[in-house]
């Protein structure tokens, strides 16, 4: 366990570590409504696919916990409204709708005959989602061990650690497990413009874990693959289609292409909750467009000239053919992914 909590339930309040101000400030926000949770997800107080799944689940739990509904029909209506609002908060990571669907399945269960039963069961399910995330991540780390050389230089993109999950992390969890098992890992951390999850958040986590790392600008990864010994790339994911096409933080596709050109393995850490078998290919994945000011500004400083137009897709899709393997809690999936990801 880390000594901070990405998200935590405390007596009818959800606490979230505010990732917008890390690493310079440790600030917890507390929320008591689903609307506040949705806004926290949208504004990236909390981010990372598994973490926003847990945030949505606890947003649903808040709704049930504080409900003043007098009958089952009214609490059902409230929960459906909360689900709708939370589902729209960020569109790309499937963990969000996956977690909400799990909660709604509990509510729709015919055995839920009282408001108290719904309240208890929704909270219990949110806790189960959060707890399972930690176990899943640890298992992903263990499953990846055979793929990590005893001495390895690794490139990583965005933040996929404890902060992006309930705890432990997926791709950074793999690196952490390798380090804890005595492997000599050194990590090149892509800074990850525009929100700088690599420079701010991944570097903060690796510092605390004493894992050797070097922060690089996103455009430098090709240079390092060409001129230094890079053994592998490992990244997380926000949604994996049935054929293995993978949405992840913008810049992942570029990284995968350069890795492919240099014959460097490109691994995706993928909890099964992020695999969306309903989508045949990555073309069906909705890509979130984020506000222009994330690009036009660095911190408070406006860096682009007035009048220049800006595009800010938060994610891209890496075609499956550039992915060497997916590491899930159930094992390692190699191509052809269409067969393997179903298992
Ligand atoms: O916009 P973000 O910071 O939510 O994007 C996060 C990523 O792209 C992560 O790589 C992904 O969610 C996996 S986190 C375990």
């Amino acid at each position: 366990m880390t000594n901070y909590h990405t998200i935590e339930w405390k007596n009818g309040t959800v606490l979230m570590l505010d990732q917008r101000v890390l690493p310079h400030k440790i600030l917890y926000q507390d929320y008591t409504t689903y609307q506040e949770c949705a806004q926290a997800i949208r504004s990236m107080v909390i981010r990372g696919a598994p973490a926003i799944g847990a945030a949505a689940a606890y947003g649903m739990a808040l709704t049930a916990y504080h409900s003043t509904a007098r009958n089952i029909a009214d609490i059902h209506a409230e929960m459906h409204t909360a689900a709708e609002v939370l589902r729209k908060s960020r569109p790309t990571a499937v963990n969000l709708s996956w977690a909400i669907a799990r909660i709604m399945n509990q509510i729709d269960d015919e055995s839920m005959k009282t408001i108290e039963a719904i309240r208890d069961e929704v909270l219990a399910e949110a806790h189960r989602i959060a707890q399972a995330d930690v176990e899943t991540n640890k298992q992903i780390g263990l499953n990846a061990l055979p793929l990590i050389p005893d001495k390895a230089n690794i490139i990583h993109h965005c933040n996929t650690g404890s902060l992006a999950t309930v705890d432990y992390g997926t791709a950074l969890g793999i690196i952490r497990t390798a380090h804890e098992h005595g492997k000599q890992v050194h990590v090149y951390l892509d800074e990850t413009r525009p929100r700088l999850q690599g420079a701010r958040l991944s570097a903060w986590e690796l510092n605390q874990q004493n894992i050797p790392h070097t922060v690089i600008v996103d455009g430098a990864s090709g240079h390092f693959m060409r001129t230094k010994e890079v053994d592998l790339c490992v990244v997380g994911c926000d949604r994996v289609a049935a054929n293995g096409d993978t949405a992840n933080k913008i810049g992942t596709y570029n990284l995968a292409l350069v890795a492919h050109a240099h014959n460097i393995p490109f691994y995706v850490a993928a909890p099964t909750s992020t695999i969306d078998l309903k989508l045949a290919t990555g073309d069906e994945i909705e890509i979130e467009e984020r506000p222009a000011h994330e690009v036009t500004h660095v911190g408070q400083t406006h860096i682009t000239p007035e009048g220049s137009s800006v595009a800010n897709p938060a994610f891209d899709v890496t075609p499956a053919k550039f992915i060497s393997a997916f590491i899930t809690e159930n094992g390692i999936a190699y191509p052809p992914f269409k067969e393997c990801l179903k298992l």
Side-chain angles (χ1 to χ4, degrees):
M1 288 290 277
T2 36
N3 56 7
Y4 53 87
H5 296 283
T6 305
I7 182 162
E8 197 183 6
W9 174 274
K10 238 183 197 158
N11 309 322
T13 300
V14 174
L15 300 179
M16 294 185 201
L17 179 56
D18 192 337
Q19 301 192 27
R20 299 169 304 178
V21 294
L22 284 173
H24 302 297
K25 225 190 238 176
I26 309 291
L27 178 69
Y28 284 89
Q29 306 285 355
D30 48 283
Y31 303 118
T32 52
T33 68
Y34 71 82
Q35 291 95 334
E36 290 170 336
C37 285
Q39 180 53 25
I41 293 169
R42 249 190 314 273
S43 64
M44 295 175 72
V45 168
I46 192 162
R47 28 72 44 208
I52 62 179
Y58 281 124
M60 296 294 288
L62 284 174
T63 312
Y65 191 88
H66 295 291
S67 172
T68 52
R70 300 245 178 132
N71 56 52
I72 294 282
D74 284 354
I75 194 166
H76 271 226
E78 275 178 20
M79 297 302 283
H80 277 277
T81 307
E84 232 5 72
V85 171
L86 285 161
R87 211 178 277 124
K88 286 190 189 135
S89 55
R90 286 192 84 189
T92 303
V94 69
N95 302 62
L96 192 65
S97 48
W98 169 86
I100 293 169
R102 272 189 57 168
I103 301 280
M104 292 310 279
N105 280 343
Q106 296 296 321
I107 298 166
D108 292 337
D109 191 304
E110 285 185 357
S111 65
M112 293 292 131
K113 292 197 192 312
T114 65
I115 290 177
E116 289 66 36
I118 290 178
R119 204 173 273 156
D120 292 350
E121 204 35 52
V122 166
L123 181 57
E125 185 69 357
H127 285 324
R128 281 192 287 270
I129 288 170
Q131 188 50 41
D133 177 57
V134 184
E135 305 306 324
T136 293
N137 298 338
K138 289 186 175 163
Q139 193 57 49
I140 287 174
L142 291 172
N143 291 348
L145 276 175
L147 300 176
I148 315 292
D150 289 339
K151 199 165 182 298
N153 266 315
I154 304 173
I155 298 189
H156 174 270
H157 195 63
C158 197
N159 170 265
T160 62
S162 294
L163 292 167
T165 58
V166 176
D167 201 2
Y168 208 79
T170 61
L172 277 187
I174 287 173
I175 289 166
R176 180 171 170 180
T177 310
H179 174 75
E180 285 168 358
H181 279 71
K183 301 199 185 219
Q184 286 177 46
V185 290
H186 166 265
V187 192
Y188 289 109
L189 293 175
D190 279 353
E191 65 168 350
T192 318
R193 268 284 283 158
R195 300 287 298 218
L196 301 171
Q197 291 95 327
R200 295 188 302 109
L201 308 177
S202 297
W204 187 66
E205 291 195 37
L206 294 195
N207 257 329
Q208 293 178 57
Q209 293 157 14
N210 289 320
I211 298 178
H213 60 278
T214 306
V215 179
I216 60 175
V217 299
D218 297 331
S221 51
H223 167 77
F224 283 99
M225 284 194 245
R226 196 178 70 78
T227 60
K228 302 264 186 268
E229 303 259 303
V230 172
D231 300 282
L232 60 128
C233 300
V234 62
V235 299
C237 51
D238 287 82
R239 197 183 289 244
V240 179
N243 71 342
D245 291 351
T246 295
N248 191 51
K249 179 50 55 194
I250 192 77
T252 303
Y253 179 28
N254 299 45
L255 188 64
L257 280 176
V258 183
H260 183 76
H262 289 278
N263 264 323
I264 291 172
F266 190 87
Y267 298 121
V268 176
T272 51
S273 55
T274 313
I275 300 172
D276 186 356
L277 295 176
K278 291 196 295 301
L279 303 189
T281 76
D283 293 343
E284 296 171 49
I285 299 175
E286 184 181 351
I287 300 294
E288 176 187 8
E289 182 72 24
R290 291 203 50 91
H293 69 76
E294 292 183 349
V295 175
T296 56
H297 287 66
V298 173
Q300 301 304 317
T301 310
H302 197 155
I303 54 166
T304 55
E306 294 295 343
S308 293
S309 71
V310 159
N312 187 16
F315 302 96
D316 58 25
V317 172
T318 299
K321 64 180 174 197
F322 299 118
I323 296 170
S324 312
F326 290 91
I327 303 146
T328 79
E329 71 273 26
N330 295 338
I332 302 175
Y334 291 102
F337 296 128
K338 229 183 217 159
E339 304 310 315
C340 222
L341 287 177
K342 272 192 224 142
L343 304 176

PDB file of all heavy atoms in Angstrom, residues 2 4 14 39 42 45 61 72-73 86 125 127 149 153 159 170 172 177 192 241 280 284 305 314 332 338 341:
ATOM      1  N   THR A   2       0.355   2.294  -0.615  1.00  0.00           N
ATOM      2  CA  THR A   2       1.049   3.573  -0.588  1.00  0.00           C
ATOM      3  C   THR A   2       0.548   4.371   0.619  1.00  0.00           C
ATOM      4  O   THR A   2      -0.471   4.036   1.201  1.00  0.00           O
ATOM      5  CB  THR A   2       0.737   4.345  -1.886  1.00  0.00           C
ATOM      6  OG1 THR A   2      -0.602   4.068  -2.242  1.00  0.00           O
ATOM      7  CG2 THR A   2       1.632   3.893  -3.003  1.00  0.00           C
ATOM      8  N   TYR A   4      -0.706   7.293   0.595  1.00  0.00           N
ATOM      9  CA  TYR A   4      -1.760   8.225   0.216  1.00  0.00           C
ATOM     10  C   TYR A   4      -2.872   7.408  -0.428  1.00  0.00           C
ATOM     11  O   TYR A   4      -2.660   6.264  -0.826  1.00  0.00           O
ATOM     12  CB  TYR A   4      -1.242   9.278  -0.773  1.00  0.00           C
ATOM     13  CG  TYR A   4      -0.557   8.696  -1.974  1.00  0.00           C
ATOM     14  CD1 TYR A   4      -1.292   8.328  -3.098  1.00  0.00           C
ATOM     15  CD2 TYR A   4       0.822   8.493  -1.996  1.00  0.00           C
ATOM     16  CE1 TYR A   4      -0.680   7.767  -4.195  1.00  0.00           C
ATOM     17  CE2 TYR A   4       1.444   7.930  -3.090  1.00  0.00           C
ATOM     18  CZ  TYR A   4       0.695   7.576  -4.190  1.00  0.00           C
ATOM     19  OH  TYR A   4       1.288   7.009  -5.277  1.00  0.00           O
ATOM     20  N   VAL A  14     -16.834  10.919  -0.070  1.00  0.00           N
ATOM     21  CA  VAL A  14     -15.754  10.345  -0.883  1.00  0.00           C
ATOM     22  C   VAL A  14     -14.596  11.329  -0.905  1.00  0.00           C
ATOM     23  O   VAL A  14     -14.767  12.504  -1.264  1.00  0.00           O
ATOM     24  CB  VAL A  14     -16.243  10.042  -2.322  1.00  0.00           C
ATOM     25  CG1 VAL A  14     -15.090   9.583  -3.193  1.00  0.00           C
ATOM     26  CG2 VAL A  14     -17.325   8.970  -2.289  1.00  0.00           C
ATOM     27  N   GLN A  39     -18.061  15.993 -11.754  1.00  0.00           N
ATOM     28  CA  GLN A  39     -17.223  17.166 -12.033  1.00  0.00           C
ATOM     29  C   GLN A  39     -15.749  16.869 -11.704  1.00  0.00           C
ATOM     30  O   GLN A  39     -14.842  17.301 -12.425  1.00  0.00           O
ATOM     31  CB  GLN A  39     -17.753  18.379 -11.235  1.00  0.00           C
ATOM     32  CG  GLN A  39     -16.989  19.676 -11.431  1.00  0.00           C
ATOM     33  CD  GLN A  39     -16.836  20.080 -12.914  1.00  0.00           C
ATOM     34  OE1 GLN A  39     -17.641  19.690 -13.780  1.00  0.00           O
ATOM     35  NE2 GLN A  39     -15.782  20.836 -13.216  1.00  0.00           N
ATOM     36  N   ARG A  42     -14.483  14.913 -14.652  1.00  0.00           N
ATOM     37  CA  ARG A  42     -14.329  15.797 -15.830  1.00  0.00           C
ATOM     38  C   ARG A  42     -13.108  16.694 -15.698  1.00  0.00           C
ATOM     39  O   ARG A  42     -12.331  16.857 -16.629  1.00  0.00           O
ATOM     40  CB  ARG A  42     -15.562  16.698 -15.962  1.00  0.00           C
ATOM     41  CG  ARG A  42     -16.431  16.402 -17.148  1.00  0.00           C
ATOM     42  CD  ARG A  42     -17.493  17.468 -17.374  1.00  0.00           C
ATOM     43  NE  ARG A  42     -18.213  17.880 -16.196  1.00  0.00           N
ATOM     44  CZ  ARG A  42     -19.306  17.267 -15.725  1.00  0.00           C
ATOM     45  NH1 ARG A  42     -19.813  16.226 -16.369  1.00  0.00           N
ATOM     46  NH2 ARG A  42     -19.899  17.694 -14.629  1.00  0.00           N
ATOM     47  N   VAL A  45      -9.547  15.879 -11.298  1.00  0.00           N
ATOM     48  CA  VAL A  45      -9.109  15.722  -9.902  1.00  0.00           C
ATOM     49  C   VAL A  45      -8.662  14.274  -9.748  1.00  0.00           C
ATOM     50  O   VAL A  45      -7.642  13.959  -9.140  1.00  0.00           O
ATOM     51  CB  VAL A  45     -10.278  16.009  -8.926  1.00  0.00           C
ATOM     52  CG1 VAL A  45      -9.939  15.566  -7.503  1.00  0.00           C
ATOM     53  CG2 VAL A  45     -10.646  17.473  -8.976  1.00  0.00           C
ATOM     54  N   ALA A  61     -22.725   5.251  -5.101  1.00  0.00           N
ATOM     55  CA  ALA A  61     -22.929   4.890  -3.690  1.00  0.00           C
ATOM     56  C   ALA A  61     -23.379   6.116  -2.887  1.00  0.00           C
ATOM     57  O   ALA A  61     -24.244   6.002  -2.009  1.00  0.00           O
ATOM     58  CB  ALA A  61     -21.652   4.297  -3.110  1.00  0.00           C
ATOM     59  N   ILE A  72     -39.271   2.560  -3.615  1.00  0.00           N
ATOM     60  CA  ILE A  72     -38.292   1.924  -4.508  1.00  0.00           C
ATOM     61  C   ILE A  72     -38.258   2.619  -5.872  1.00  0.00           C
ATOM     62  O   ILE A  72     -37.184   2.848  -6.437  1.00  0.00           O
ATOM     63  CB  ILE A  72     -38.646   0.423  -4.688  1.00  0.00           C
ATOM     64  CG1 ILE A  72     -38.481  -0.307  -3.351  1.00  0.00           C
ATOM     65  CG2 ILE A  72     -37.814  -0.228  -5.775  1.00  0.00           C
ATOM     66  CD1 ILE A  72     -37.075  -0.633  -2.966  1.00  0.00           C
ATOM     67  N   ALA A  73     -39.430   2.988  -6.373  1.00  0.00           N
ATOM     68  CA  ALA A  73     -39.470   3.618  -7.707  1.00  0.00           C
ATOM     69  C   ALA A  73     -38.662   4.912  -7.697  1.00  0.00           C
ATOM     70  O   ALA A  73     -37.918   5.209  -8.644  1.00  0.00           O
ATOM     71  CB  ALA A  73     -40.910   3.897  -8.105  1.00  0.00           C
ATOM     72  N   LEU A  86     -22.991  10.516 -14.569  1.00  0.00           N
ATOM     73  CA  LEU A  86     -21.620  10.011 -14.377  1.00  0.00           C
ATOM     74  C   LEU A  86     -21.074   9.412 -15.668  1.00  0.00           C
ATOM     75  O   LEU A  86     -19.905   9.603 -16.007  1.00  0.00           O
ATOM     76  CB  LEU A  86     -21.595   8.982 -13.252  1.00  0.00           C
ATOM     77  CG  LEU A  86     -21.693   9.591 -11.846  1.00  0.00           C
ATOM     78  CD1 LEU A  86     -22.127   8.551 -10.818  1.00  0.00           C
ATOM     79  CD2 LEU A  86     -20.353  10.210 -11.428  1.00  0.00           C
ATOM     80  N   GLU A 125     -21.019  -3.027  -3.309  1.00  0.00           N
ATOM     81  CA  GLU A 125     -20.517  -3.280  -4.671  1.00  0.00           C
ATOM     82  C   GLU A 125     -19.407  -2.284  -5.027  1.00  0.00           C
ATOM     83  O   GLU A 125     -18.414  -2.647  -5.647  1.00  0.00           O
ATOM     84  CB  GLU A 125     -21.677  -3.209  -5.683  1.00  0.00           C
ATOM     85  CG  GLU A 125     -21.309  -3.568  -7.109  1.00  0.00           C
ATOM     86  CD  GLU A 125     -20.973  -5.049  -7.325  1.00  0.00           C
ATOM     87  OE1 GLU A 125     -20.964  -5.823  -6.352  1.00  0.00           O
ATOM     88  OE2 GLU A 125     -20.688  -5.405  -8.485  1.00  0.00           O
ATOM     89  N   HIS A 127     -17.342  -0.908  -2.928  1.00  0.00           N
ATOM     90  CA  HIS A 127     -16.148  -1.387  -2.205  1.00  0.00           C
ATOM     91  C   HIS A 127     -15.527  -2.596  -2.923  1.00  0.00           C
ATOM     92  O   HIS A 127     -14.308  -2.700  -3.021  1.00  0.00           O
ATOM     93  CB  HIS A 127     -16.500  -1.788  -0.770  1.00  0.00           C
ATOM     94  CG  HIS A 127     -16.728  -0.619   0.160  1.00  0.00           C
ATOM     95  ND1 HIS A 127     -16.009   0.558   0.080  1.00  0.00           N
ATOM     96  CD2 HIS A 127     -17.587  -0.458   1.206  1.00  0.00           C
ATOM     97  CE1 HIS A 127     -16.425   1.396   1.036  1.00  0.00           C
ATOM     98  NE2 HIS A 127     -17.381   0.805   1.723  1.00  0.00           N
ATOM     99  N   PRO A 149      13.318  -8.264 -18.471  1.00  0.00           N
ATOM    100  CA  PRO A 149      14.685  -8.756 -18.250  1.00  0.00           C
ATOM    101  C   PRO A 149      15.207  -8.351 -16.864  1.00  0.00           C
ATOM    102  O   PRO A 149      14.687  -7.400 -16.260  1.00  0.00           O
ATOM    103  CB  PRO A 149      15.495  -8.042 -19.347  1.00  0.00           C
ATOM    104  CG  PRO A 149      14.508  -7.527 -20.327  1.00  0.00           C
ATOM    105  CD  PRO A 149      13.213  -7.334 -19.600  1.00  0.00           C
ATOM    106  N   ASN A 153      15.815  -1.297 -19.391  1.00  0.00           N
ATOM    107  CA  ASN A 153      15.442   0.089 -19.637  1.00  0.00           C
ATOM    108  C   ASN A 153      14.049   0.069 -20.253  1.00  0.00           C
ATOM    109  O   ASN A 153      13.823  -0.586 -21.272  1.00  0.00           O
ATOM    110  CB  ASN A 153      16.402   0.726 -20.646  1.00  0.00           C
ATOM    111  CG  ASN A 153      17.527   1.435 -19.942  1.00  0.00           C
ATOM    112  OD1 ASN A 153      17.298   2.167 -18.981  1.00  0.00           O
ATOM    113  ND2 ASN A 153      18.746   1.201 -20.415  1.00  0.00           N
ATOM    114  N   ASN A 159       0.431   8.326 -16.821  1.00  0.00           N
ATOM    115  CA  ASN A 159       0.543   7.796 -15.457  1.00  0.00           C
ATOM    116  C   ASN A 159      -0.416   6.621 -15.327  1.00  0.00           C
ATOM    117  O   ASN A 159      -1.608   6.744 -15.629  1.00  0.00           O
ATOM    118  CB  ASN A 159       0.209   8.833 -14.385  1.00  0.00           C
ATOM    119  CG  ASN A 159       0.109   8.167 -13.017  1.00  0.00           C
ATOM    120  OD1 ASN A 159      -0.979   7.804 -12.581  1.00  0.00           O
ATOM    121  ND2 ASN A 159       1.224   7.959 -12.353  1.00  0.00           N
ATOM    122  N   THR A 170      -1.173  -0.307 -12.972  1.00  0.00           N
ATOM    123  CA  THR A 170      -1.135  -1.370 -13.996  1.00  0.00           C
ATOM    124  C   THR A 170       0.249  -1.418 -14.658  1.00  0.00           C
ATOM    125  O   THR A 170       1.086  -2.230 -14.262  1.00  0.00           O
ATOM    126  CB  THR A 170      -2.258  -1.181 -15.025  1.00  0.00           C
ATOM    127  OG1 THR A 170      -2.092   0.084 -15.696  1.00  0.00           O
ATOM    128  CG2 THR A 170      -3.623  -1.231 -14.379  1.00  0.00           C
ATOM    129  N   LEU A 172       2.690   0.871 -14.466  1.00  0.00           N
ATOM    130  CA  LEU A 172       3.676   1.208 -13.415  1.00  0.00           C
ATOM    131  C   LEU A 172       3.682   0.135 -12.331  1.00  0.00           C
ATOM    132  O   LEU A 172       4.698  -0.067 -11.658  1.00  0.00           O
ATOM    133  CB  LEU A 172       3.384   2.582 -12.799  1.00  0.00           C
ATOM    134  CG  LEU A 172       3.907   3.805 -13.551  1.00  0.00           C
ATOM    135  CD1 LEU A 172       3.682   5.084 -12.737  1.00  0.00           C
ATOM    136  CD2 LEU A 172       5.388   3.702 -13.911  1.00  0.00           C
ATOM    137  N   THR A 177       6.493  -4.135  -9.476  1.00  0.00           N
ATOM    138  CA  THR A 177       6.670  -5.551  -9.111  1.00  0.00           C
ATOM    139  C   THR A 177       8.064  -6.021  -9.519  1.00  0.00           C
ATOM    140  O   THR A 177       8.743  -6.717  -8.747  1.00  0.00           O
ATOM    141  CB  THR A 177       5.616  -6.443  -9.822  1.00  0.00           C
ATOM    142  OG1 THR A 177       4.334  -5.877  -9.608  1.00  0.00           O
ATOM    143  CG2 THR A 177       5.642  -7.857  -9.298  1.00  0.00           C
ATOM    144  N   THR A 192       4.299  13.548 -21.190  1.00  0.00           N
ATOM    145  CA  THR A 192       2.865  13.418 -21.493  1.00  0.00           C
ATOM    146  C   THR A 192       2.117  14.756 -21.487  1.00  0.00           C
ATOM    147  O   THR A 192       1.304  15.063 -20.607  1.00  0.00           O
ATOM    148  CB  THR A 192       2.163  12.397 -20.558  1.00  0.00           C
ATOM    149  OG1 THR A 192       3.004  11.254 -20.385  1.00  0.00           O
ATOM    150  CG2 THR A 192       0.833  11.945 -21.132  1.00  0.00           C
ATOM    151  N   ALA A 241     -10.514  -2.745 -27.908  1.00  0.00           N
ATOM    152  CA  ALA A 241     -11.580  -3.358 -28.717  1.00  0.00           C
ATOM    153  C   ALA A 241     -11.293  -4.855 -28.880  1.00  0.00           C
ATOM    154  O   ALA A 241     -10.180  -5.326 -28.595  1.00  0.00           O
ATOM    155  CB  ALA A 241     -11.643  -2.659 -30.072  1.00  0.00           C
ATOM    156  N   ALA A 280     -15.947  -3.999 -32.132  1.00  0.00           N
ATOM    157  CA  ALA A 280     -15.151  -4.893 -32.992  1.00  0.00           C
ATOM    158  C   ALA A 280     -13.747  -4.345 -33.208  1.00  0.00           C
ATOM    159  O   ALA A 280     -12.761  -5.091 -33.161  1.00  0.00           O
ATOM    160  CB  ALA A 280     -15.865  -5.086 -34.327  1.00  0.00           C
ATOM    161  N   GLU A 284     -14.397   2.236 -33.490  1.00  0.00           N
ATOM    162  CA  GLU A 284     -15.669   2.502 -32.789  1.00  0.00           C
ATOM    163  C   GLU A 284     -15.466   3.186 -31.443  1.00  0.00           C
ATOM    164  O   GLU A 284     -16.427   3.502 -30.746  1.00  0.00           O
ATOM    165  CB  GLU A 284     -16.427   1.186 -32.580  1.00  0.00           C
ATOM    166  CG  GLU A 284     -16.855   0.526 -33.871  1.00  0.00           C
ATOM    167  CD  GLU A 284     -17.411  -0.868 -33.645  1.00  0.00           C
ATOM    168  OE1 GLU A 284     -18.264  -1.047 -32.769  1.00  0.00           O
ATOM    169  OE2 GLU A 284     -16.955  -1.786 -34.352  1.00  0.00           O
ATOM    170  N   PRO A 305      -0.071  31.992 -30.057  1.00  0.00           N
ATOM    171  CA  PRO A 305      -0.590  33.310 -30.443  1.00  0.00           C
ATOM    172  C   PRO A 305      -2.116  33.300 -30.482  1.00  0.00           C
ATOM    173  O   PRO A 305      -2.715  32.256 -30.747  1.00  0.00           O
ATOM    174  CB  PRO A 305      -0.020  33.526 -31.845  1.00  0.00           C
ATOM    175  CG  PRO A 305       0.557  32.240 -32.277  1.00  0.00           C
ATOM    176  CD  PRO A 305       0.625  31.294 -31.128  1.00  0.00           C
ATOM    177  N   ALA A 314      -7.721  13.690 -26.282  1.00  0.00           N
ATOM    178  CA  ALA A 314      -7.057  13.204 -25.064  1.00  0.00           C
ATOM    179  C   ALA A 314      -6.456  11.810 -25.252  1.00  0.00           C
ATOM    180  O   ALA A 314      -5.604  11.383 -24.461  1.00  0.00           O
ATOM    181  CB  ALA A 314      -8.047  13.195 -23.909  1.00  0.00           C
ATOM    182  N   ILE A 332      -1.153 -13.574 -20.021  1.00  0.00           N
ATOM    183  CA  ILE A 332      -0.630 -12.750 -21.121  1.00  0.00           C
ATOM    184  C   ILE A 332      -1.345 -13.145 -22.408  1.00  0.00           C
ATOM    185  O   ILE A 332      -1.436 -14.331 -22.725  1.00  0.00           O
ATOM    186  CB  ILE A 332       0.890 -12.952 -21.272  1.00  0.00           C
ATOM    187  CG1 ILE A 332       1.579 -12.605 -19.947  1.00  0.00           C
ATOM    188  CG2 ILE A 332       1.446 -12.097 -22.411  1.00  0.00           C
ATOM    189  CD1 ILE A 332       3.067 -12.867 -19.934  1.00  0.00           C
ATOM    190  N   LYS A 338      -7.925 -11.439 -31.296  1.00  0.00           N
ATOM    191  CA  LYS A 338      -9.365 -11.697 -31.405  1.00  0.00           C
ATOM    192  C   LYS A 338      -9.730 -12.962 -30.636  1.00  0.00           C
ATOM    193  O   LYS A 338     -10.752 -13.034 -29.967  1.00  0.00           O
ATOM    194  CB  LYS A 338      -9.731 -11.861 -32.881  1.00  0.00           C
ATOM    195  CG  LYS A 338     -10.915 -11.035 -33.276  1.00  0.00           C
ATOM    196  CD  LYS A 338     -11.279 -11.271 -34.714  1.00  0.00           C
ATOM    197  CE  LYS A 338     -11.741  -9.980 -35.326  1.00  0.00           C
ATOM    198  NZ  LYS A 338     -11.688  -9.911 -36.740  1.00  0.00           N
ATOM    199  N   LEU A 341      -8.172 -12.496 -26.443  1.00  0.00           N
ATOM    200  CA  LEU A 341      -8.775 -11.540 -25.493  1.00  0.00           C
ATOM    201  C   LEU A 341     -10.126 -12.036 -24.969  1.00  0.00           C
ATOM    202  O   LEU A 341     -10.594 -11.580 -23.940  1.00  0.00           O
ATOM    203  CB  LEU A 341      -8.955 -10.164 -26.151  1.00  0.00           C
ATOM    204  CG  LEU A 341      -7.674  -9.361 -26.356  1.00  0.00           C
ATOM    205  CD1 LEU A 341      -7.976  -8.059 -27.087  1.00  0.00           C
ATOM    206  CD2 LEU A 341      -6.978  -9.063 -25.033  1.00  0.00           C
TER     207      LEU A 341
END
